């Protein structure tokens, strides 16, 4: 399943947008909503190598969906959101 299909299949609430961008040693998965709210998770290349591409992406998307359903926090400044990091052990 390609990434866009996984995002569509993850069941994000209405109005939530998911963006994925490369950043250093990994990818940032960001969910944003209305009024400058959002949250992101940095999925490191090490985590993908340890746990596998499919399971890590599914876990990250699930966590972002949970945050979106619970209510996204406001941005710290325009375009800067709270972040968690998923690293390999």
């Amino acid at each position: 399943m390609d990434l866009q299909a996984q995002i569509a299949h993850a069941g994000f609430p209405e109005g939530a947008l998911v963006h994925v961008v490369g950043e250093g040693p990994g990818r940032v998965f960001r969910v944003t909503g209305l009024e400058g709210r959002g949250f992101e998770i940095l999925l490191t290349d090490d985590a993908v190598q340890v746990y596998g591409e499919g399971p890590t992406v599914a876990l990250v998307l699930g966590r972002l969906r949970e945050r979106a359903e619970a209510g996204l926090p406001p941005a710290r400044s325009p375009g800067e959101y709270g972040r968690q990091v998923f690293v390999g052990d």
Side-chain angles (χ1 to χ4, degrees):
M1 184 179 298
D2 72 21
L3 181 58
Q4 291 305 313
Q6 283 179 286
I7 291 168
H9 190 263
F12 283 89
E14 179 108 13
L17 299 174
V18 178
H19 309 276
V20 182
V21 294
E23 181 179 295
R27 290 178 287 171
V28 172
F29 289 74
R30 179 180 301 134
V31 62
T32 57
L34 301 174
E35 301 172 4
R37 295 179 173 272
F39 185 76
E40 58 190 32
I41 298 175
L42 170 60
L43 174 60
T44 65
D45 293 339
D46 288 342
V48 172
Q49 187 174 19
V50 170
Y51 303 110
E53 177 81 15
T56 56
V57 170
L59 180 68
V60 166
L61 292 176
R63 180 70 178 126
L64 288 178
R65 184 191 68 244
E66 290 170 3
R67 290 298 299 249
E69 289 172 344
L72 295 169
R76 295 178 179 170
S77 62
E80 185 179 317
Y81 304 100
R83 176 183 285 189
Q84 288 183 334
V85 180
F86 185 3
V87 297
D89 290 336

